Every structure is written in C-alpha cells, then in structure tokens.
Amino acid sequence: MDIQTILQFELFKNVDSDIVEGLLSSHSVSTFLPGEYLITRFKPNKDLFLLLKGSVEIYLNEKDKPLNIIGDGESIGEISLLDGQPASAHVIALSECQVIRIDKDEIWPIAENSHA
C-alpha cells in the first residue's frame, strides 16, 4: 500500500504523513466481490472504508435504484462513525473492490490530534 495514494483521500488531505503512515502500518487490503455488503442499513457500523479500487452502490432499499455510485479514492462509512447511529444505507460492491478497513477507535485520535 502506497502512503502517497492514501494521502490523496480527502479525509487525509493536509494531515501529517507520519500520522497516516502510523495508522495504516497495521492494516491490510481487503477484497469485496460484486454483490457483497460493506455496510448494511440499520446495523451498527464501526469501520471506515478507504476504497482503493472498484466501485460501490449506495441504497436505501436494494429494490430501488442506487442513490449513488462511489469509486476509487473515496471513503465510506464516515457518517455512521460520526453520528454513532446504525448505518443509514446499504453499501454494496458493484465491482471487485479493494479497501482498507479502519476501526472507529483508530480514526478518532487522528481527528483529535490533527487540525487538518
């Protein structure tokens, strides 16, 4: 995993690279196949996902059209981490996705220690 790629995520822009590198040094890349759920609506979500490759669809109801499609370089799950509520939508892999999954307890120290 290339630290420069991770620093391109909006979430980490202007954050000291040493802080980000320390956080990510213990994380590996996970793969989700098309149709797999990263996040399930109404269930607690304790992870932030950094979408390195692939795309996901956001649904309020799987029977409807997706609300949005998110691709490479985007983060997923930050809303439920911020509000502490169950997820407000389903996030389903549209294509094979490579993600880094970061636990909420690891994100908060960065937010508290970095003004960026």
Side-chain angles (χ1 to χ4, degrees), residues 28-40 45 47-56 76 91-102:
S28 60
V29 176
S30 299
T31 300
F32 287 84
L33 299 176
E36 286 189 292
Y37 285 65
L38 284 75
I39 298 174
T40 302
N45 173 45
D47 297 316
L48 173 76
F49 296 90
L50 302 178
L51 185 54
L52 301 173
K53 183 179 178 186
S55 57
V56 298
I76 304 161
V91 179
I92 304 170
L94 179 61
S95 63
E96 183 174 304
C97 295
Q98 294 181 346
V99 302
I100 296 172
R101 183 187 309 216
I102 305 172

Side-chain angles (χ1 to χ4, degrees), residues 52-65:
L52 301 173
K53 183 179 178 186
S55 57
V56 298
E57 295 177 309
I58 311 298
Y59 289 91
L60 289 179
N61 180 337
E62 303 98 340
K63 295 176 180 128
D64 296 333
K65 290 183 180 182

Side-chain angles (χ1 to χ4, degrees), residues 38-47 80-81 84-87:
L38 284 75
I39 298 174
T40 302
R41 185 176 185 200
F42 300 127
K43 294 201 175 183
N45 173 45
K46 62 177 190 68
D47 297 316
S80 52
L81 290 185
Q85 299 296 312

